[in-house]
Amino acid sequence: MKKNYRQTVRMICVGILIVAAFVVLVRKGVIPRFWEQPAMAPVGEDEITRIPGPQTDDAREPLTDAATEPQSDHAPALADDTLSEHTSENMEAGESLHTSETETAPQDGKDDEPLQPEQAEPETEQSPEETLRAYLENDPRTPTEVKGIFITGAVAGTAHTMPALTQLVEDTSLNAMVIDIKNDAGEVTYKMGLPLSQEIGAEVRYVSDMPQLIRQLKEKNIYLIARIVAFKDPVLAEKKTEYAVKNADGTVFHDNNGLAWVNPYKEEVWDYLIDLSKEAAALGFDEIQYDYIRFSTAKGIADAYFGEESEGKTKQDAINGFLTKAYETLAPMGVYVSADVFGTIICNESDGKLIGQDYVEMAKHCDYICPMVYPSHYVNNAYGIAVPDAKPYELIRAAVADGEKKLSEARSLDEDVHLAKQRPWLQAFTATWVQGHISYQGQQLKDQIRGSADAGVQEWLLWNASNNYDPVKDGL
């Protein structure tokens, strides 16, 4: 027994000595720690992978905007190696694999100054004015020498009158139609589907299928002009009174016919008109034409209040501002832009200031400027003509030549200036209210066309409010 006990004690002691010796040798590094995993080597840049999104909810370093937001067209796309990771040696528990895209792990032989990802120089975004200028330098649009007639929305949607007018265009020297898209009453003449025009109840189904009508007219090679009445808009003014011209007491201003006008200083009104225009352009109209692009001349307008937007600005500033924005928006879409103006503003500066129209300045911001040079609209002795309505050739030649002179003078001051072409509105009606008037038929129309041509302008448009062109048909 004693012998066995002594042997056991001796073996235990030997074991303890062996373990103690082993521990000493491990601590001294003589024996490696074979039971542990070797330390992970630092991750090189070529091993970095891009992992979308933080890997933990409490990640300390969120991804930068450049990594999470959609890339701008002017910003280079991020390459896979533009985001760096921490190596396992410097990661702390709970930290995302991603750091900010401008951080990187220290590298041997280099300091730890943050590195910036390589990016191309961002392009400078062009202003609308620069975009328009670049577009016009290499204008891809194909101009048409227009000879057209005006057609209301109500007539455009008829089953009998519209086909007859279409045939008139096909059978004569006519090649264009000016069709109401938004009329003098503020009505949009078809179900356009524009949110604001729907909200205010402006859409009227005069034309049941405007896209189909446009296709049919295009098949006949008819040039199409969308007429949009600008600031005479009783629907918008009454439904959105914040956009209306106001009296001094804050109530809505009404003209001599009891109709409200919208405020030409309001950019919200500009945007509505431009949105209507964009819809018409998308349908296939070749040109957008603005009528009533002016201030009201009704009694009491001198005392009207146009809001804070008008402070420090003239009426002409407001009209030019709108036309500039419309032109910069629409022309690059591939459509032409025109503006109807009073014919008398060419020879009477006071008229222009009263209604906000400046002939030359407006011509800088459209493709065609269309003066309403109806002989019946001129006072006696205008241009030295006793009764202008009775002398259609003489009046048209004088008025159109005056317009050409104004544009020519502006061009001589700046040969690089953009100026619209002149395209006058001619009279296709008899002005029975004018003392000394004459009946306007085929010969009177021929006289006007000849007067315009002799003044250097071949294009023209015909106005008849009821769309009855039969009396002047022989002049086409």
Side-chain angles (χ1 to χ4, degrees), residues 17 26 34 68 100 140 160-161 182 210 214 241 260 268 272 281 335 340 371 383 436:
L17 291 173
V26 168
F34 54 83
T68 59
S100 166
H160 301 290
T161 307
K182 180 164 116 28
M210 185 65 81
I214 291 174
T241 57
E268 295 89 345
Y272 175 53
V335 293
D340 295 344
Y383 290 110

PDB file of all heavy atoms in Angstrom, residues 17 26 34 68 100 140 160-161 182 210 214 241 260 268 272 281 335 340 371 383 436:
ATOM      1  N   LEU A  17       5.514  19.355 -12.215  1.00  0.00           N
ATOM      2  CA  LEU A  17       6.775  19.943 -12.686  1.00  0.00           C
ATOM      3  C   LEU A  17       6.768  20.102 -14.221  1.00  0.00           C
ATOM      4  O   LEU A  17       7.246  21.124 -14.756  1.00  0.00           O
ATOM      5  CB  LEU A  17       7.942  19.089 -12.234  1.00  0.00           C
ATOM      6  CG  LEU A  17       8.230  19.078 -10.715  1.00  0.00           C
ATOM      7  CD1 LEU A  17       9.321  18.055 -10.372  1.00  0.00           C
ATOM      8  CD2 LEU A  17       8.654  20.460 -10.255  1.00  0.00           C
ATOM      9  N   VAL A  26       6.254  28.302 -22.671  1.00  0.00           N
ATOM     10  CA  VAL A  26       5.289  29.022 -23.535  1.00  0.00           C
ATOM     11  C   VAL A  26       5.404  30.520 -23.332  1.00  0.00           C
ATOM     12  O   VAL A  26       5.398  31.308 -24.268  1.00  0.00           O
ATOM     13  CB  VAL A  26       3.854  28.545 -23.235  1.00  0.00           C
ATOM     14  CG1 VAL A  26       2.825  29.482 -23.891  1.00  0.00           C
ATOM     15  CG2 VAL A  26       3.655  27.127 -23.723  1.00  0.00           C
ATOM     16  N   PHE A  34      -0.085  27.055 -30.188  1.00  0.00           N
ATOM     17  CA  PHE A  34      -0.649  26.369 -31.355  1.00  0.00           C
ATOM     18  C   PHE A  34      -2.164  26.282 -31.293  1.00  0.00           C
ATOM     19  O   PHE A  34      -2.829  26.004 -32.272  1.00  0.00           O
ATOM     20  CB  PHE A  34      -0.045  24.942 -31.474  1.00  0.00           C
ATOM     21  CG  PHE A  34      -0.196  24.121 -30.222  1.00  0.00           C
ATOM     22  CD1 PHE A  34      -1.367  23.433 -29.959  1.00  0.00           C
ATOM     23  CD2 PHE A  34       0.858  24.045 -29.299  1.00  0.00           C
ATOM     24  CE1 PHE A  34      -1.466  22.677 -28.805  1.00  0.00           C
ATOM     25  CE2 PHE A  34       0.732  23.306 -28.149  1.00  0.00           C
ATOM     26  CZ  PHE A  34      -0.427  22.611 -27.885  1.00  0.00           C
ATOM     27  N   THR A  68     -25.434  57.110 -51.158  1.00  0.00           N
ATOM     28  CA  THR A  68     -26.803  56.650 -50.975  1.00  0.00           C
ATOM     29  C   THR A  68     -27.818  57.361 -51.852  1.00  0.00           C
ATOM     30  O   THR A  68     -28.868  56.834 -52.130  1.00  0.00           O
ATOM     31  CB  THR A  68     -27.233  56.833 -49.505  1.00  0.00           C
ATOM     32  OG1 THR A  68     -27.116  58.222 -49.160  1.00  0.00           O
ATOM     33  CG2 THR A  68     -26.373  56.006 -48.579  1.00  0.00           C
ATOM     34  N   SER A 100     -16.852  56.879 -43.913  1.00  0.00           N
ATOM     35  CA  SER A 100     -17.114  57.936 -44.881  1.00  0.00           C
ATOM     36  C   SER A 100     -16.252  57.684 -46.100  1.00  0.00           C
ATOM     37  O   SER A 100     -15.147  57.176 -46.014  1.00  0.00           O
ATOM     38  CB  SER A 100     -16.754  59.293 -44.268  1.00  0.00           C
ATOM     39  OG  SER A 100     -16.688  60.287 -45.263  1.00  0.00           O
ATOM     40  N   PRO A 140     -32.914  73.707 -85.128  1.00  0.00           N
ATOM     41  CA  PRO A 140     -33.321  72.573 -85.959  1.00  0.00           C
ATOM     42  C   PRO A 140     -34.736  72.693 -86.509  1.00  0.00           C
ATOM     43  O   PRO A 140     -35.160  71.878 -87.331  1.00  0.00           O
ATOM     44  CB  PRO A 140     -33.225  71.393 -84.978  1.00  0.00           C
ATOM     45  CG  PRO A 140     -33.587  72.007 -83.662  1.00  0.00           C
ATOM     46  CD  PRO A 140     -33.000  73.398 -83.685  1.00  0.00           C
ATOM     47  N   HIS A 160     -69.539  70.226 -89.346  1.00  0.00           N
ATOM     48  CA  HIS A 160     -69.755  70.752 -90.695  1.00  0.00           C
ATOM     49  C   HIS A 160     -68.865  71.958 -91.011  1.00  0.00           C
ATOM     50  O   HIS A 160     -68.221  71.996 -92.051  1.00  0.00           O
ATOM     51  CB  HIS A 160     -71.233  71.144 -90.867  1.00  0.00           C
ATOM     52  CG  HIS A 160     -72.187  70.010 -90.663  1.00  0.00           C
ATOM     53  ND1 HIS A 160     -72.294  68.964 -91.543  1.00  0.00           N
ATOM     54  CD2 HIS A 160     -73.052  69.746 -89.654  1.00  0.00           C
ATOM     55  CE1 HIS A 160     -73.204  68.100 -91.107  1.00  0.00           C
ATOM     56  NE2 HIS A 160     -73.675  68.549 -89.962  1.00  0.00           N
ATOM     57  N   THR A 161     -68.823  72.926 -90.098  1.00  0.00           N
ATOM     58  CA  THR A 161     -68.055  74.145 -90.371  1.00  0.00           C
ATOM     59  C   THR A 161     -66.561  73.877 -90.448  1.00  0.00           C
ATOM     60  O   THR A 161     -65.874  74.398 -91.346  1.00  0.00           O
ATOM     61  CB  THR A 161     -68.329  75.208 -89.290  1.00  0.00           C
ATOM     62  OG1 THR A 161     -69.735  75.404 -89.176  1.00  0.00           O
ATOM     63  CG2 THR A 161     -67.661  76.512 -89.650  1.00  0.00           C
ATOM     64  N   LYS A 182     -56.973  78.152 -75.323  1.00  0.00           N
ATOM     65  CA  LYS A 182     -57.579  78.852 -74.178  1.00  0.00           C
ATOM     66  C   LYS A 182     -58.123  80.174 -74.700  1.00  0.00           C
ATOM     67  O   LYS A 182     -57.376  80.996 -75.234  1.00  0.00           O
ATOM     68  CB  LYS A 182     -56.570  79.086 -73.055  1.00  0.00           C
ATOM     69  CG  LYS A 182     -57.152  79.806 -71.841  1.00  0.00           C
ATOM     70  CD  LYS A 182     -56.240  79.661 -70.652  1.00  0.00           C
ATOM     71  CE  LYS A 182     -55.616  80.862 -70.097  1.00  0.00           C
ATOM     72  NZ  LYS A 182     -56.173  82.165 -70.178  1.00  0.00           N
ATOM     73  N   MET A 210     -59.167  66.286 -79.440  1.00  0.00           N
ATOM     74  CA  MET A 210     -58.169  67.204 -79.996  1.00  0.00           C
ATOM     75  C   MET A 210     -56.993  66.475 -80.645  1.00  0.00           C
ATOM     76  O   MET A 210     -56.558  66.873 -81.737  1.00  0.00           O
ATOM     77  CB  MET A 210     -57.671  68.161 -78.909  1.00  0.00           C
ATOM     78  CG  MET A 210     -56.722  69.239 -79.420  1.00  0.00           C
ATOM     79  SD  MET A 210     -57.487  70.409 -80.571  1.00  0.00           S
ATOM     80  CE  MET A 210     -58.318  71.515 -79.419  1.00  0.00           C
ATOM     81  N   ILE A 214     -55.884  67.103 -84.590  1.00  0.00           N
ATOM     82  CA  ILE A 214     -54.534  67.514 -84.986  1.00  0.00           C
ATOM     83  C   ILE A 214     -53.950  66.541 -86.001  1.00  0.00           C
ATOM     84  O   ILE A 214     -53.341  66.950 -86.996  1.00  0.00           O
ATOM     85  CB  ILE A 214     -53.636  67.625 -83.742  1.00  0.00           C
ATOM     86  CG1 ILE A 214     -54.085  68.806 -82.880  1.00  0.00           C
ATOM     87  CG2 ILE A 214     -52.172  67.785 -84.140  1.00  0.00           C
ATOM     88  CD1 ILE A 214     -53.366  68.926 -81.569  1.00  0.00           C
ATOM     89  N   THR A 241     -58.610  83.982 -56.574  1.00  0.00           N
ATOM     90  CA  THR A 241     -58.592  85.440 -56.493  1.00  0.00           C
ATOM     91  C   THR A 241     -57.222  86.004 -56.121  1.00  0.00           C
ATOM     92  O   THR A 241     -56.951  87.185 -56.370  1.00  0.00           O
ATOM     93  CB  THR A 241     -59.637  85.930 -55.466  1.00  0.00           C
ATOM     94  OG1 THR A 241     -59.365  85.321 -54.186  1.00  0.00           O
ATOM     95  CG2 THR A 241     -61.040  85.543 -55.905  1.00  0.00           C
ATOM     96  N   ALA A 260     -63.139  89.614 -65.005  1.00  0.00           N
ATOM     97  CA  ALA A 260     -61.917  89.752 -64.212  1.00  0.00           C
ATOM     98  C   ALA A 260     -60.701  89.370 -65.047  1.00  0.00           C
ATOM     99  O   ALA A 260     -60.789  88.520 -65.934  1.00  0.00           O
ATOM    100  CB  ALA A 260     -62.003  88.863 -62.970  1.00  0.00           C
ATOM    101  N   GLU A 268     -47.053  82.717 -60.791  1.00  0.00           N
ATOM    102  CA  GLU A 268     -47.931  81.539 -60.780  1.00  0.00           C
ATOM    103  C   GLU A 268     -48.840  81.542 -62.006  1.00  0.00           C
ATOM    104  O   GLU A 268     -49.158  80.488 -62.559  1.00  0.00           O
ATOM    105  CB  GLU A 268     -48.780  81.527 -59.504  1.00  0.00           C
ATOM    106  CG  GLU A 268     -47.988  81.353 -58.217  1.00  0.00           C
ATOM    107  CD  GLU A 268     -47.523  82.652 -57.618  1.00  0.00           C
ATOM    108  OE1 GLU A 268     -47.559  83.695 -58.318  1.00  0.00           O
ATOM    109  OE2 GLU A 268     -47.115  82.645 -56.434  1.00  0.00           O
ATOM    110  N   TYR A 272     -48.927  78.755 -65.154  1.00  0.00           N
ATOM    111  CA  TYR A 272     -50.163  78.142 -65.663  1.00  0.00           C
ATOM    112  C   TYR A 272     -50.220  78.239 -67.184  1.00  0.00           C
ATOM    113  O   TYR A 272     -50.507  77.253 -67.882  1.00  0.00           O
ATOM    114  CB  TYR A 272     -51.367  78.836 -65.037  1.00  0.00           C
ATOM    115  CG  TYR A 272     -52.706  78.377 -65.552  1.00  0.00           C
ATOM    116  CD1 TYR A 272     -53.067  77.031 -65.569  1.00  0.00           C
ATOM    117  CD2 TYR A 272     -53.646  79.307 -66.011  1.00  0.00           C
ATOM    118  CE1 TYR A 272     -54.316  76.620 -66.035  1.00  0.00           C
ATOM    119  CE2 TYR A 272     -54.891  78.916 -66.472  1.00  0.00           C
ATOM    120  CZ  TYR A 272     -55.226  77.575 -66.483  1.00  0.00           C
ATOM    121  OH  TYR A 272     -56.457  77.166 -66.950  1.00  0.00           O
ATOM    122  N   ALA A 281     -48.056  71.873 -77.112  1.00  0.00           N
ATOM    123  CA  ALA A 281     -46.872  71.489 -77.888  1.00  0.00           C
ATOM    124  C   ALA A 281     -46.739  69.980 -77.962  1.00  0.00           C
ATOM    125  O   ALA A 281     -46.398  69.416 -79.014  1.00  0.00           O
ATOM    126  CB  ALA A 281     -45.621  72.106 -77.264  1.00  0.00           C
ATOM    127  N   VAL A 335     -41.042  73.974 -80.699  1.00  0.00           N
ATOM    128  CA  VAL A 335     -42.173  74.742 -81.213  1.00  0.00           C
ATOM    129  C   VAL A 335     -41.788  76.205 -81.355  1.00  0.00           C
ATOM    130  O   VAL A 335     -40.885  76.696 -80.673  1.00  0.00           O
ATOM    131  CB  VAL A 335     -43.415  74.632 -80.296  1.00  0.00           C
ATOM    132  CG1 VAL A 335     -43.960  73.216 -80.304  1.00  0.00           C
ATOM    133  CG2 VAL A 335     -43.097  75.068 -78.880  1.00  0.00           C
ATOM    134  N   ASP A 340     -49.218  88.267 -80.044  1.00  0.00           N
ATOM    135  CA  ASP A 340     -50.087  89.251 -80.678  1.00  0.00           C
ATOM    136  C   ASP A 340     -49.960  90.578 -79.939  1.00  0.00           C
ATOM    137  O   ASP A 340     -50.013  90.607 -78.701  1.00  0.00           O
ATOM    138  CB  ASP A 340     -51.551  88.796 -80.618  1.00  0.00           C
ATOM    139  CG  ASP A 340     -51.796  87.530 -81.434  1.00  0.00           C
ATOM    140  OD1 ASP A 340     -50.937  87.184 -82.262  1.00  0.00           O
ATOM    141  OD2 ASP A 340     -52.852  86.898 -81.246  1.00  0.00           O
ATOM    142  N   PRO A 371     -48.521  92.030 -85.110  1.00  0.00           N
ATOM    143  CA  PRO A 371     -49.283  93.238 -84.833  1.00  0.00           C
ATOM    144  C   PRO A 371     -50.673  93.180 -85.473  1.00  0.00           C
ATOM    145  O   PRO A 371     -50.822  92.747 -86.616  1.00  0.00           O
ATOM    146  CB  PRO A 371     -48.425  94.344 -85.461  1.00  0.00           C
ATOM    147  CG  PRO A 371     -47.710  93.661 -86.587  1.00  0.00           C
ATOM    148  CD  PRO A 371     -47.432  92.272 -86.093  1.00  0.00           C
ATOM    149  N   TYR A 383     -51.068 107.821 -89.964  1.00  0.00           N
ATOM    150  CA  TYR A 383     -50.153 107.705 -91.102  1.00  0.00           C
ATOM    151  C   TYR A 383     -50.584 108.622 -92.262  1.00  0.00           C
ATOM    152  O   TYR A 383     -50.325 108.345 -93.433  1.00  0.00           O
ATOM    153  CB  TYR A 383     -50.069 106.257 -91.597  1.00  0.00           C
ATOM    154  CG  TYR A 383     -49.360 105.331 -90.626  1.00  0.00           C
ATOM    155  CD1 TYR A 383     -50.077 104.350 -89.933  1.00  0.00           C
ATOM    156  CD2 TYR A 383     -48.002 105.441 -90.386  1.00  0.00           C
ATOM    157  CE1 TYR A 383     -49.457 103.497 -89.032  1.00  0.00           C
ATOM    158  CE2 TYR A 383     -47.360 104.592 -89.491  1.00  0.00           C
ATOM    159  CZ  TYR A 383     -48.099 103.632 -88.809  1.00  0.00           C
ATOM    160  OH  TYR A 383     -47.464 102.795 -87.912  1.00  0.00           O
ATOM    161  N   GLY A 436     -67.436 106.076 -92.169  1.00  0.00           N
ATOM    162  CA  GLY A 436     -66.692 106.114 -93.421  1.00  0.00           C
ATOM    163  C   GLY A 436     -66.122 104.762 -93.814  1.00  0.00           C
ATOM    164  O   GLY A 436     -65.294 104.672 -94.729  1.00  0.00           O
TER     165      GLY A 436
END
